[in-house]
Amino acid sequence: MARLAPGIKLLRSLARAAKANQKLTLKLLAGSTPPRKRPPRTARPPPALPPLTGQWLTGSLAPIDYWLYLPRAIPGDVAHQGWPLIVMLHGCHQSAPEFAEGTRMNRLADAKGYAVLYPQQSLTAHPHRCWRWYDRATQQGGGDTALVAALIEQVVKRFPIDRSRIYACGLSAGAGMAAVLALNHPELIAAIGQHSGPVFGAGHSRMGALHVMRHGAPLGADAAIGNLLERRSALAVAGGQILPMPPMPAILIQGAQDQVVHPVNQQHLTRQWLQLNGLPAGPATKVTVKPAGRSGGRSNNALEMHDYLIGRKLMLRVARIAGLGHAWSGGDGSLKFNAGAGPDASRMVLEFFGRHRRRASPAR
């Protein structure tokens, strides 16, 4: 019997194989096929942006260094007396060149003939390069506000810039600084863009700023705008005339999953900009919802936009992006504080700015 054992094992093995083949045959006859493993799909990269053809300049207005992009197209036609200018203010832990690269604003602005100015906060002013949007003196027009305004004036005098189309935009602390700049110099700034920005007029210290970033300013938001309007109305200009605060168009972009600047800040900013522009604190004129999906080879998070209009003029756009943390939406995802998934915040900002211009101030 010992000699027959290998043969018996072989027969049993063949029987099991035959039984398995019989089951597979029955499945095939019934119309079912064994599942096939599909190879993973490779996501297509977003389409390449055209190469830059303009000038990338750098300079300094102590203590601020700056970078300036000038498009190749020469301004000066009848309708547009000079380049429109976007002032881009970086966030904490960023440099001006990193902000330019991450947002890709130069490439988009180049195609539309915009100049772009990138002031850079000094490390001596703040160890993390944070703009001091929370500082009381800065909020009242001194400090960083005065420095950035002086830099804009220098650039406007040196290059052909259309004074009626100067815009301020920023991320995080830069967004807070953009608001402070615009509200202290409404004769200079035509509209602003705030991405992940803190509420205006609160903080007044580094610890206070952290509290605002986490909780907003539920009690102080309205009072801050009221105080601003009172202070503005008290300013006299040559000839004894009083300049009231003009309307200030704004686009507010916020990630719903932001853990650094809590989305409640966008709610409080919305109230502030409605109050500033004389709009009722009610529902938006128009609400647009865009589901998550893919466009142009790029994945996009869901987007909800609330538009507030005066007549037919869009004055305030509030954009909430699902799934986005503390990062520039649609930027270069390989860089910190940038999310590769869209929607493209730079395109949104440019489209909004293109709707607005301010009457040029007299040359100083």
Side-chain angles (χ1 to χ4, degrees):
M1 293 294 293
R3 293 180 179 177
L4 295 176
I8 294 173
K9 289 182 180 180
L10 178 60
L11 290 174
R12 288 177 178 174
S13 177
L14 291 173
R16 285 194 297 269
K19 189 174 181 179
N21 287 335
Q22 184 181 21
K23 289 182 178 180
L24 178 59
T25 301
L26 291 174
K27 287 184 178 180
L28 292 171
L29 291 174
S32 63
T33 58
R36 292 183 300 172
K37 292 184 178 180
R38 295 182 178 179
R41 296 177 62 184
T42 302
R44 291 184 301 166
L49 292 168
L52 292 174
T53 58
Q55 292 180 283
W56 185 230
L57 309 175
T58 185
S60 177
L61 181 64
I64 294 179
D65 294 328
Y66 68 88
W67 281 256
L68 175 66
Y69 182 75
L70 298 176
R72 181 179 62 175
I74 303 299
D77 58 43
V78 175
H80 307 111
Q81 296 300 318
W83 286 303
L85 176 69
I86 304 175
V87 182
M88 292 286 285
L89 295 159
H90 61 78
C92 298
H93 302 282
Q94 285 185 309
S95 67
E98 288 171 345
F99 193 43
E101 185 177 358
T103 61
R104 294 184 279 213
M105 183 62 83
N106 287 356
R107 296 183 183 278
L108 296 172
D110 185 78
K112 293 184 177 292
Y114 282 71
V116 194
L117 174 64
Y118 298 87
Q120 179 171 278
Q121 174 66 299
S122 167
L123 286 173
T124 59
H126 196 286
H128 303 305
R129 291 199 193 280
C130 298
W131 297 103
R132 294 170 294 184
W133 56 270
Y134 52 84
D135 179 68
R136 192 182 298 274
T138 295
Q139 291 178 359
Q140 295 179 354
D144 291 345
T145 306
L147 291 173
V148 176
L151 174 58
I152 295 172
E153 288 290 350
Q154 175 177 283
V155 170
V156 169
K157 290 177 180 178
R158 183 177 176 187
F159 301 98
I161 301 296
D162 184 348
R163 275 188 171 270
S164 70
R165 296 189 295 164
I166 300 176
Y167 311 98
C169 180
L171 171 68
S172 192
M177 192 64 226
V180 173
L181 175 67
L183 296 180
N184 280 278
H185 293 278
E187 76 289 344
L188 191 63
I189 304 299
I192 76 161
Q194 290 185 273
H195 196 313
S196 312
V199 68
F200 166 76
H204 308 314
S205 69
R206 294 188 184 183
M207 291 303 297
L210 289 173
H211 186 272
V212 169
M213 291 161 63
R214 293 169 182 166
H215 306 287
L219 300 178
D222 296 341
I225 294 298
N227 294 336
L228 171 78
L229 294 174
E230 290 179 7
R231 180 164 52 88
R232 180 74 187 184
S233 65
L235 294 176
V237 295
Q241 297 177 348
I242 297 176
L243 291 175
M245 186 72 190
M248 182 58 65
I251 177 171
L252 313 177
I253 303 173
Q254 178 71 46
Q257 304 302 318
D258 195 330
Q259 301 298 313
V260 178
V261 177
H262 193 278
V264 72
N265 280 271
Q266 190 188 49
Q267 299 174 25
H268 297 161
L269 280 170
T270 300
R271 282 199 349 230
Q272 289 187 320
W273 290 109
L274 289 174
Q275 179 184 355
L276 182 73
N277 288 303
L279 287 162
T285 310
K286 178 183 178 182
V287 178
T288 304
V289 177
K290 297 182 179 181
R294 296 189 65 83
S295 176
R298 169 182 286 173
S299 62
N300 290 315
N301 291 311
L303 169 66
E304 183 175 306
M305 289 193 305
H306 293 245
D307 288 345
Y308 299 84
L309 283 71
I310 296 179
R312 295 184 178 181
K313 189 176 182 63
L314 176 61
M315 293 301 299
L316 176 62
R317 170 165 285 174
V318 182
R320 176 72 68 91
I321 301 174
L324 178 67
H326 194 67
W328 187 273
S329 182
D332 185 341
S334 67
L335 298 175
K336 195 174 181 180
F337 306 117
N338 289 274
D344 191 326
S346 295
R347 292 184 186 277
M348 293 171 66
V349 166
L350 273 172
E351 190 276 333
F352 183 84
F353 288 166
R355 297 168 177 256
H356 301 283
R357 65 171 56 232
R358 186 170 303 292
R359 181 179 299 173
S361 301
R364 296 182 181 181

